[in-house]
Amino acid sequence: MQETRETWQSNIGFLMAAIGSAIGLGNIWRFSYMAHEHGGGAFLVPYLTALLVAGIPIMLLEYGIGHREKASSPLALARIHRRFEGLGWWMPVVAMFGIMLYYSVIIGWCANYLVYSFTLAWGDNPQDFFFNHFLQLSESAAAWGGIRPSILLATALVWLACWLICFRDIRHGIEKAAKLFMPLLLILTAIMVVWTFTLEGAREGIFNHYLNPDWSKINFLSADPEARVAAGRVWAAAFGQIFFTLSLGFGIMITYASYLPAKANLARNAVITATANCAYSIFAGLAVFGIVGFMAHSQGVGFAEAIKGGPQLAFVVYPQAISLLPDFNALFGVLFFLVLVIAGLTSGVSLIEAFSCALTDKFDWPRKRVVSVLCLLGLLGSLIFTTRAGLYLLDITDHFITSYGLVLGGLLQCLIVGWFIGPEKLRRHISRLGSRVPTAWNLFIRYLTPLALGILLLMALYGDLTANYSGYATRHLLLYGLGWLLCCLAVAIVLSRKPWRAAKLKRRHRPGEDELLV
Ligand code: TRP
């Protein structure tokens, strides 16, 4: 296929935006504690399976829907059939009010750590520093214990940055920043990975705990019922992580693909985005397991006892690594956290973009006002996660929103394409634009992927009903987990109530490409 320069340029822009959305805190912060919690090597097998069974097929599906309907997720799904619009709202609502609210706070943590890096303020016990000095963590999710001013300040700055970028529409700037900072992130991570290999005990952590799958931990057909439930949880967490890290089920990829020119190689883009993102996570994991191995070695304890698992892991392990570097520690730390802040912002901005596009598509409100109101609401909603109980609250919300909210969004999209539109139509649409999608994709979207996601949802549910997630009190799980999901559902229903102007629901054909649209 002869591609003109112009198309190629916009394709790169799209790819950068899509990768910028995918690569974020999920790759460093979330991946590391998920992998650590679920036994390292035992996590990688379900993770890669999830990438193949759900990640790549659904990414293709979202690109396909967005490109075919040329609309944000609610409008795209409403164009397929009016009754699917609710799902089109559910996805960005869950992402905005379920994820972005705490995600912005974690970007704020990174901003704080950027400042701490100048003096390596965490000293020689980063774990103690994080819990007791930085978060001043309360005893339980019930004790909010007031707002932490430094976290609030940083979170407010994060929302301000999101607002500035979206309001002034300097997405070009973000694209340029992504082009500069993504490679920088990779280089900094590579330095850390190489360096950790020289530390004592690191190889043990990497080769015995990370690159060495423990099949018994992932055998969900095990004869022992307890092992079965535990394995189910590992699988559910791996699938959840794939959705989170690839920004699937957020409505983001649909919106981004809708901005593409008529001819764009969707299949190739999907494979590149997914592979680049996951390869990066797995690579960064080497540093995490290396450092934990080193910590175990230097404390003379087993790998599992070396560090307390949970959402704080990256904020203990990476500072530790930064302190251990032979030279330029402060410079390195500042750069590392700066890049993390930027990676987080490119992800956050992609969502505000998708959500405001959805609102303007439907209500014709002025874009700038929508962005301002969204960012203000976002900041207000984030406040709860800046309290001294923030870590508990975001852990609970994140668990429920990701394993149920995002996965459900993916499952329903498969059912709509698989059984309503018919995957063959979408497959042909995508294939005609560039690289061919194998026919097996139809089988995935129709049977395999929804079946796998359905079973996973059940396994996650079964796990959560058998034992409270991370030992939190039942009422907190109901309030911040289930309650949060139900609120998102209510918002999605309200937003989808209002009727559309009929003209909008008609697909706008681009001149000269009618034959592409089925
Ligand atoms: N994929 C991102 C990551 O791995 C997560 C993400 C994408 C996100 N878009 C977002 C989080 C919007 C919050 C809001 O970090």
Side-chain angles (χ1 to χ4, degrees):
M1 186 183 64
Q2 186 86 44
E3 282 181 339
T4 64
R5 190 173 148 69
E6 205 184 287
T7 323
W8 184 78
Q9 260 189 342
S10 48
N11 188 55
I12 279 288
F14 166 74
L15 206 53
M16 288 319 296
I19 294 182
S21 169
I23 294 194
L25 302 180
N27 299 65
I28 297 259
W29 160 74
R30 200 171 190 283
F31 179 83
S32 51
Y33 79 88
M34 284 289 143
H36 178 264
E37 189 159 313
H38 298 292
F43 186 73
L44 285 187
V45 176
Y47 179 79
L48 290 173
T49 314
L51 172 65
L52 294 178
V53 173
I56 295 181
I58 295 184
M59 172 137 342
L60 263 173
L61 179 152
E62 293 201 355
Y63 281 0
I65 294 184
H67 188 266
R68 180 176 182 259
E69 307 294 341
K70 290 171 204 63
S72 60
S73 63
L75 182 53
L77 284 157
R79 279 183 180 161
I80 292 171
H81 193 288
R82 185 65 179 82
R83 69 165 178 257
F84 299 141
E85 187 191 337
L87 174 64
W89 284 109
W90 165 258
M91 295 191 285
V93 165
V94 157
M96 179 73 200
F97 299 112
I99 298 182
M100 184 59 190
L101 295 189
Y102 69 76
Y103 196 81
S104 57
V105 175
I106 300 176
I107 305 177
W109 292 359
C110 294
N112 272 287
Y113 266 71
L114 195 166
V115 178
Y116 289 142
S117 293
F118 281 100
T119 55
L120 306 181
W122 47 79
D124 39 36
N125 192 346
Q127 181 154 289
D128 176 59
F129 178 85
F130 183 82
F131 284 127
N132 299 325
H133 181 90
F134 176 58
L135 286 190
Q136 302 186 0
L137 190 64
S138 64
E139 319 75 66
S140 82
W144 287 11
I147 284 178
R148 295 284 299 119
S150 56
I151 302 181
L152 174 64
L153 178 68
T155 307
L157 288 177
V158 167
W159 281 105
L160 182 69
C162 288
W163 177 76
L164 277 175
I165 294 167
C166 294
F167 188 80
R168 304 199 28 216
D169 212 2
I170 45 175
R171 266 166 301 151
H172 268 339
I174 267 280
E175 255 173 55
K176 281 204 199 103
K179 270 188 216 166
L180 175 69
F181 284 103
M182 292 297 156
L184 185 60
L185 184 62
L186 190 62
I187 294 171
L188 293 178
T189 314
I191 295 177
M192 261 196 265
V193 169
V194 172
W195 174 245
T196 51
F197 268 91
T198 68
L199 298 171
E200 262 186 275
R203 278 158 203 256
E204 147 89 11
I206 292 173
F207 292 110
N208 295 353
H209 296 277
Y210 189 43
L211 300 178
N212 179 20
D214 177 351
W215 300 102
S216 69
K217 279 201 181 152
I218 48 178
N219 179 9
F220 53 83
L221 301 174
S222 154
D224 169 12
E226 250 178 56
R228 221 164 38 222
V229 177
R233 289 192 145 174
V234 179
W235 282 85
F239 272 72
Q241 173 63 14
I242 281 293
F243 275 87
F244 188 97
T245 194
L246 295 178
S247 310
L248 296 177
F250 287 61
I252 293 178
M253 293 308 186
I254 297 185
T255 312
Y256 270 15
S258 75
Y259 297 151
L260 274 171
K263 272 235 179 251
N265 196 332
L266 296 183
R268 195 180 54 194
N269 285 339
V271 174
I272 296 179
T273 316
T275 326
N277 176 73
C278 294
Y280 176 69
S281 281
I282 292 177
F283 182 65
L286 292 172
V288 174
F289 279 76
I291 294 291
V292 179
F294 164 81
M295 289 164 83
H297 178 86
S298 46
Q299 298 164 20
V301 296
F303 185 86
E305 292 102 71
I307 189 171
K308 191 173 157 353
Q312 79 290 343
L313 191 78
F315 290 88
V316 175
V317 171
Y318 283 103
Q320 178 80 298
I322 290 166
S323 290
L324 286 170
L325 288 173
D327 217 335
F328 298 114
N329 314 56
L331 175 69
F332 194 93
V334 171
L335 273 181
F336 181 73
F337 284 109
L338 176 70
V339 174
L340 269 191
V341 168
I342 292 172
L345 281 178
T346 52
S347 298
V349 163
S350 72
L351 176 69
I352 298 178
E353 178 62 35
F355 200 77
S356 49
C357 178
L359 288 172
T360 45
D361 265 356
K362 175 136 192 184
F363 299 102
D364 290 322
W365 293 330
R367 204 192 103 86
K368 292 199 165 182
R369 201 171 309 159
V370 169
V371 168
S372 304
V373 172
L374 269 186
C375 289
L376 208 61
L377 282 181
L379 175 58
L380 287 179
S382 292
L383 289 182
I384 172 172
F385 298 109
T386 64
T387 61
R388 288 176 48 202
L391 182 78
Y392 301 127
L393 306 182
L394 73 88
D395 190 15
I396 300 176
T397 307
D398 171 82
H399 170 73
F400 283 86
I401 291 281
T402 310
S403 7
Y404 300 102
L406 298 182
V407 175
L408 191 66
L411 173 65
L412 294 176
Q413 290 187 93
C414 287
L415 293 180
I416 290 175
V417 172
W419 297 89
F420 189 82
I421 305 182
E424 180 60 16
K425 265 192 196 167
L426 202 59
R427 191 187 71 81
R428 273 206 233 129
H429 176 80
I430 302 173
S431 295
R432 265 187 254 171
L433 297 169
S435 310
R436 219 180 68 81
V437 179
T439 35
W441 183 75
N442 296 355
L443 296 179
F444 272 74
I445 293 301
R446 221 178 152 121
Y447 304 104
L448 195 62
T449 312
L451 191 68
L453 296 181
I455 293 177
L456 273 150
L457 279 175
L458 291 180
M459 289 203 297
L461 194 64
Y462 189 63
D464 278 329
L465 291 176
T466 338
N468 283 10
Y469 170 70
S470 281
Y472 290 105
T474 308
R475 63 179 189 288
H476 297 148
L477 294 179
L478 288 177
L479 187 61
Y480 301 110
L482 191 63
W484 212 281
L485 278 168
L486 291 177
C487 287
C488 291
L489 185 63
V491 175
I493 292 176
V494 169
L495 287 170
S496 61
R497 280 279 139 194
K498 190 177 175 257
W500 292 86
R501 278 196 285 113
K504 279 221 179 133
L505 291 178
K506 290 214 188 74
R507 219 176 283 145
R508 274 162 299 159
H509 289 201
R510 288 170 187 170
E513 56 150 352
D514 285 31
E515 80 283 5
L516 285 178
L517 296 160
V518 262

